[in-house]
Amino acid sequence: MKGIFQKSFTVMVVLMLFLLTACSGSSTGDEGSTNTDGGTIQAKIGVVSYLTGAGAAYGEAITNGLKLAQSEINEQGEVNIDLVIEDSAGEAEQALSAAQKLMNDEEILAIIGPTLSTEFFAVAPEADLNGISIMGTSTTAEGIPEIGDYVFRNSIPEALAIPTAMEKAVERTGAKKVALIYGNDDVLTKSGFDTMKKAAEEMGLEIVTIETFQKGQSDYNAQLTKIKNANPDLILASALYNEGAVIMDQARKMGIEVPFVGGNGFNSPQVLEIAGEAANGLIVATPWFGESEDPKVVEFNKKFEEAYGKLPDQFAAQAYDALYIYADALKRAGEADRELFHEALAETKNFEGLLGNFSFDEIGDVVMDVKVVEIKDGKFVEFQ
């Protein structure tokens, strides 16, 4: 009797294991969700974004750009993307913790973010080690794509954007002398400074002074007094918008009227909100010009404003394109498999996005043209 019971129990266990295996076939190993719902490819994308804290406007713009793209992509029906969003609060440690949470979910196909280069340098090596593709949409510091094979970005690097803006500014103003000011406690602003200094030296410009500041600083009188006394033709400022806008406001109040050339962190409508008329004279290079009459830009502006009550900035536009780039790679991969997706993503060439024609180079860095814009009469206009 005991032997019969044991045989019956064994058969039941085998049958239960078979049923469990059959039920779990849609997500196994290191794969995301697979094709379901009549051929639509289902995928979960993790997002780490700067949603609370002093620079939350960056993360808000990025997240809104992603959500708008998500709604359009899912409506088209070929792929269905679920965004799993985590807040980094602009801190590298919290960004890493949030990313690890996403990486531990076997259904997460890939990651977008974090927002700041400082955060990205903490997170990307971990993603690369785990074989999870990760794309920065706002990370412009030097060395980002070189972190590993699974690391990409669609944001224009400072090494391309800043020299382009500087060349245009020097060409128009005939500048010979420049002053530099930068945040010395952030990866992005330090990288921007390195690029500015190198470009200035290569262009034969005289650097009359170099000044530094820290995140959250509110009084720049000492630095700006030195800059004013040095009498530069241009000020090269590597700053995030919080500090950058205040620097411009205080500079104008001190009678410093020369143009500013800024890095990527300076390129935000928040500069206008904080500095007002003092922001006039800021020159930056960007792939995004919101006043363009390109039908794609006009339509994006309309949809974004209807959805969120404000016009989009560069960070919203780059995030919007990033999710479309992911969707395109997912379609070419044919299923939500991490390795197949990675291979398809790396092969992205001549993708026609909102920002123009886009490709990845051999290390996962962006290949596309940039525009130079300036703030004039209280709004961003194309640099002439």
Side-chain angles (χ1 to χ4, degrees):
M1 190 72 183
K2 183 179 177 182
I4 294 172
F5 175 78
Q6 287 176 330
K7 287 180 181 178
S8 299
F9 181 75
T10 301
V11 170
M12 288 175 65
V13 170
V14 171
L15 182 59
M16 288 174 67
L17 288 171
F18 174 78
L19 289 171
L20 285 169
T21 302
C23 291
S24 63
S26 64
S27 180
T28 60
D30 62 353
E31 297 180 358
S33 303
T34 54
N35 294 29
T36 59
D37 194 20
T40 300
I41 304 173
Q42 308 284 337
K44 275 187 180 181
I45 303 296
V47 178
V48 182
S49 195
Y50 189 169
L51 297 174
T52 57
Y58 290 125
E60 180 186 5
I62 289 167
T63 305
N64 288 344
L66 290 172
K67 288 179 178 177
L68 182 57
Q70 177 195 22
S71 66
E72 294 175 2
I73 290 165
N74 291 353
E75 188 177 340
Q76 291 165 13
E78 291 184 72
V79 299
N80 189 281
I81 293 174
D82 179 20
L83 295 176
V84 183
I85 301 170
E86 299 288 340
D87 180 21
S88 70
E91 300 293 337
E93 188 175 334
Q94 184 166 326
L96 180 57
S97 177
Q100 288 170 334
K101 179 181 176 182
L102 294 170
M103 291 178 215
N104 288 334
D105 182 349
E106 292 183 351
E107 290 191 343
I108 294 293
L109 177 67
I111 294 173
I112 289 176
T115 304
L116 303 179
S117 295
T118 304
E119 301 171 300
F120 203 88
F121 275 114
V123 170
E126 190 93 358
D128 187 65
L129 188 64
N130 283 281
I132 301 174
S133 298
I134 183 168
M135 189 194 303
T137 69
S138 55
T139 47
T140 58
E142 283 293 283
I144 292 287
E146 291 86 349
I147 291 171
D149 290 342
Y150 290 80
V151 181
F152 302 82
R153 67 174 163 196
N154 76 326
S155 47
I156 298 293
E158 298 282 47
L160 172 60
I162 288 173
T164 302
M166 287 175 60
E167 287 167 9
K168 291 282 189 181
V170 169
E171 182 181 334
R172 189 172 75 180
T173 64
K176 303 294 183 184
K177 301 185 297 180
V178 295
L180 279 77
I181 182 168
Y182 73 101
N184 63 1
D185 57 351
D186 180 83
V187 169
L188 170 65
T189 53
K190 286 192 288 186
S191 175
F193 161 73
D194 290 339
T195 299
M196 288 173 172
K197 185 172 182 291
K198 180 181 178 183
E201 291 169 347
E202 290 176 349
M203 293 169 68
L205 300 172
E206 179 187 354
I207 299 173
V208 293
T209 187
I210 297 175
E211 304 300 325
T212 64
F213 61 87
Q214 289 77 44
K215 282 182 185 177
Q217 187 169 325
S218 58
D219 183 0
Y220 301 91
N221 181 69
Q223 292 93 333
L224 291 172
T225 297
K226 291 180 183 178
I227 288 173
K228 184 177 182 180
N229 291 339
N231 196 30
D233 302 313
L234 286 175
I235 297 173
L236 311 179
S238 183
L240 300 179
Y241 72 78
N242 315 67
E243 292 80 21
V246 177
I247 288 170
M248 287 200 73
D249 182 51
Q250 293 183 11
R252 300 311 188 213
K253 287 174 179 174
M254 291 177 63
I256 300 173
E257 298 297 334
V258 298
F260 276 69
V261 176
N264 188 63
F266 229 139
N267 185 22
S268 170
Q270 296 294 316
V271 173
L272 285 163
E273 290 189 21
I274 297 169
E277 291 184 3
N280 288 329
L282 173 64
I283 302 165
V284 292
T286 173
W288 167 252
F289 176 48
E291 303 298 321
S292 170
E293 295 180 1
D294 183 319
K296 289 186 295 185
V297 174
V298 172
E299 182 66 14
F300 176 66
N301 284 342
K302 180 183 175 183
K303 288 181 177 179
F304 193 95
E305 189 170 23
E306 286 175 352
Y308 305 112
K310 63 177 72 174
L311 288 170
D313 61 12
Q314 169 193 339
F315 303 99
Q318 288 175 169
Y320 177 89
D321 261 4
L323 198 64
Y324 267 101
I325 291 166
Y326 267 14
D328 175 68
L330 187 54
K331 284 184 260 187
R332 288 185 284 110
E335 60 178 293
D337 174 90
R338 286 180 178 177
E339 196 54 42
L340 291 176
F341 174 79
H342 168 254
E343 291 171 4
L345 185 64
E347 292 170 358
T348 299
K349 301 290 180 190
N350 297 317
F351 174 84
E352 287 297 334
L354 173 67
L355 300 176
N357 186 278
F358 175 89
S359 300
F360 285 124
D361 66 14
E362 64 279 0
I363 63 168
D365 211 352
V366 56
V367 179
M368 68 185 305
D369 294 330
V370 296
K371 305 171 183 68
V372 177
V373 299
E374 64 178 324
I375 296 179
K376 187 176 182 180
D377 298 326
K379 64 180 181 179
F380 281 98
V381 298
E382 201 156 6
F383 187 90
Q384 300 293 337

